[in-house]
Amino acid sequence: MKLKNILLYLLPIAGLCSSCNDEWENEQFTHYISFKAPINSEGVSRINVRYRSGDEKTTFQLPIIVSGSTTNDRNITVHVGLDTDTLAVLNQERFNNRTDLYYQVLPEKFYSRPETAEINAGQDVALMPIDFSMEGIDLSDKWVLPLTIEESPNGSYTPNYRKHYRKALLRVMPFNDYSGNYSAVNYKTYLKGAETDAPYVKNYVMMYVVDDEALFFYAGLFDETRQDRKGYRIKAKFNDNGMVTLSPVDPANKMEFALGKDDYNNEITASYSVTESMDAIRPYLMHRTIIINNINYTFKDYTTIPGVATEFHVMGSLTLERQINTQIPDEDQAIEWEEGEERVIE
């Protein structure tokens, strides 16, 4: 084939390639506005916030994103509102008539936030600050801050209508130095008087924040799925002398919580230890282990069987390990949280 003919064939192909390249320089999608708040298996986006007492606040930066294949070229004022309707739908579909398990809307006294967020030209991500002040919160209820990107009042932006993109259902969990999901392999629950029989066991015991130095957990085999859980909360105060003071949260103490006794009829007091060690393979990773020893108490289950109180004796220890990346200065990024707890801020 002559060179002239070959060139004639190649010219249209070259023009087509040039046209394709020009297309990629233009926006291929719409610049939708969305949150970066992916949901977990519980249908919410869990964020862990450092508990601070008094008027101290912890600030969480919620990302707001402009989608598209090109950089945002204009200033955008995004309006953010409270979305209780979506939370109500989630509760109904997930828990049906178990209203005691419903997520509750976080009261305004525990947070403050702006009503708008500014995205500047040349930026595809903006951070909306939410200040949390969690003193006095009761974590026996499940608190969620449900947010939505509202319609633009002047048509300057379009929310992303794909599922979950426009919504941020923030499951707020305060944490302190001792809170978390403790391993309970050595934590055993017996029927009172039958301590020689096989114990009831559970894999984990969740410790919830009360304040800077105190947690609460549920007695025996109780957990947050129980409708009557609030009457079975035990407060654990971590003292400077290495001892842990256990006491019932309910002043009425209907479960008749009492510390166990030793052979000399003295109350058995729990203690705790904190150890730190560096990882053998990843030398920058610190393992911080908290062990609560000498747990020994009795309580009565007065609600499971109406009119009958069943007494239990609980003994053993609980263990929590936190893995901390010492190369990262900010605690929110340094702690390697369990699945579902990855969005942590300090």
Side-chain angles (χ1 to χ4, degrees):
M1 184 179 292
K2 293 183 178 181
L3 178 61
K4 182 173 67 175
N5 293 335
I6 294 174
L7 292 175
L8 288 175
Y9 281 114
L10 291 177
L11 279 174
I13 298 175
L16 180 62
C17 292
S18 174
S19 176
C20 289
N21 289 334
D22 290 341
E23 285 182 7
W24 287 111
E25 295 177 2
N26 299 322
E27 177 58 60
Q28 302 299 303
F29 306 98
T30 302
H31 277 171
Y32 291 126
I33 307 299
S34 60
F35 288 121
K36 184 180 180 182
I39 64 171
N40 58 20
S41 60
E42 298 176 346
V44 292
S45 178
R46 175 169 174 157
I47 61 171
N48 297 270
V49 298
R50 163 64 76 170
Y51 176 90
R52 302 188 191 279
S53 58
D55 295 330
E56 289 189 87
K57 300 182 184 300
T58 302
T59 301
F60 173 66
Q61 303 285 358
L62 177 62
I64 299 178
I65 300 172
V66 183
S67 66
S69 62
T70 60
T71 301
N72 170 49
D73 59 358
R74 57 199 174 88
N75 297 326
I76 305 173
T77 299
V78 179
H79 294 255
V80 177
L82 200 64
D83 187 12
T84 57
D85 291 342
T86 296
L87 190 61
V89 171
L90 173 65
N91 282 329
Q92 180 62 39
E93 292 184 352
R94 193 168 192 84
F95 304 113
N96 200 1
N97 62 347
R98 283 293 306 273
T99 57
D100 58 293
L101 298 180
Y102 278 18
Y103 294 118
Q104 306 296 322
V105 178
L106 184 68
E108 291 185 3
K109 67 179 180 179
F110 294 121
Y111 74 93
S112 61
R113 65 172 183 86
E115 294 183 353
T116 60
E118 302 294 331
I119 305 177
N120 297 324
Q123 296 180 338
D124 294 320
V125 179
L127 300 176
M128 187 182 79
I130 306 175
D131 293 329
F132 291 99
S133 181
M134 311 300 289
E135 186 171 33
I137 194 167
D138 180 3
L139 294 181
S140 58
D141 288 317
K142 301 184 294 184
W143 302 106
V144 170
L145 177 57
L147 301 175
T148 185
I149 295 174
E150 297 180 332
E151 300 288 344
S152 171
N154 57 7
S156 61
Y157 66 85
T158 303
N160 194 328
Y161 295 106
R162 291 185 62 190
K163 189 176 183 180
H164 308 311
Y165 282 68
R166 188 185 183 186
K167 312 293 182 180
L169 302 178
L170 304 179
R171 169 81 158 97
V172 185
M173 286 294 292
F175 74 94
N176 63 17
D177 290 338
Y178 310 105
S179 62
N181 215 15
Y182 281 70
S183 172
V185 294
N186 295 316
Y187 182 77
K188 302 173 182 179
T189 301
Y190 299 88
L191 283 170
K192 183 67 181 296
E195 285 81 357
T196 58
D197 294 344
Y200 301 99
V201 295
K202 57 194 304 187
N203 292 329
Y204 297 97
V205 170
M206 185 68 184
M207 294 277 196
Y208 302 87
V209 168
V210 173
D211 57 38
D212 288 323
E213 299 178 340
L215 311 170
F216 82 81
F217 62 100
Y218 295 106
L221 301 177
F222 283 74
D223 58 28
E224 69 172 8
T225 64
R226 288 287 297 252
Q227 187 173 13
D228 49 2
R229 61 188 178 273
K230 291 191 176 185
Y232 295 92
R233 291 173 294 167
I234 299 173
K235 181 179 178 180
K237 185 179 186 305
F238 290 72
N239 302 302
D240 293 337
N241 61 0
M243 308 305 288
V244 179
T245 303
L246 300 180
S247 60
V249 173
D250 181 9
N253 192 18
K254 295 180 181 178
M255 65 173 170
E256 299 183 29
F257 171 88
L259 292 176
K261 302 274 184 82
D262 61 18
D263 294 338
Y264 301 98
N265 205 35
N266 297 315
E267 289 185 342
I268 299 174
T269 304
S271 61
Y272 74 97
S273 63
V274 181
T275 58
E276 296 178 349
S277 62
M278 305 308 294
D279 192 271
I281 299 176
R282 296 183 290 174
Y284 57 86
L285 191 67
M286 175 189 293
H287 298 270
R288 178 175 294 160
T289 304
I290 303 171
I291 302 177
I292 307 176
N293 293 302
N294 301 321
I295 299 173
N296 196 313
Y297 65 88
T298 62
F299 76 98
K300 290 183 179 180
D301 177 354
Y302 61 94
T303 55
T304 301
I305 305 176
V308 177
T310 306
E311 190 168 11
F312 292 93
H313 189 183
V314 182
M315 296 181 286
S317 62
L318 295 168
T319 303
L320 173 71
E321 180 183 314
R322 280 186 180 169
Q323 299 185 33
I324 304 170
N325 189 333
T326 57
Q327 294 179 330
I328 302 176
D330 299 326
E331 184 181 14
D332 58 315
Q333 302 296 325
I335 299 176
E336 296 188 358
W337 297 87
E338 299 176 4
E339 182 181 356
E341 301 178 336
E342 66 279 1
R343 303 190 63 206
V344 185
I345 57 96
E346 172 65 19

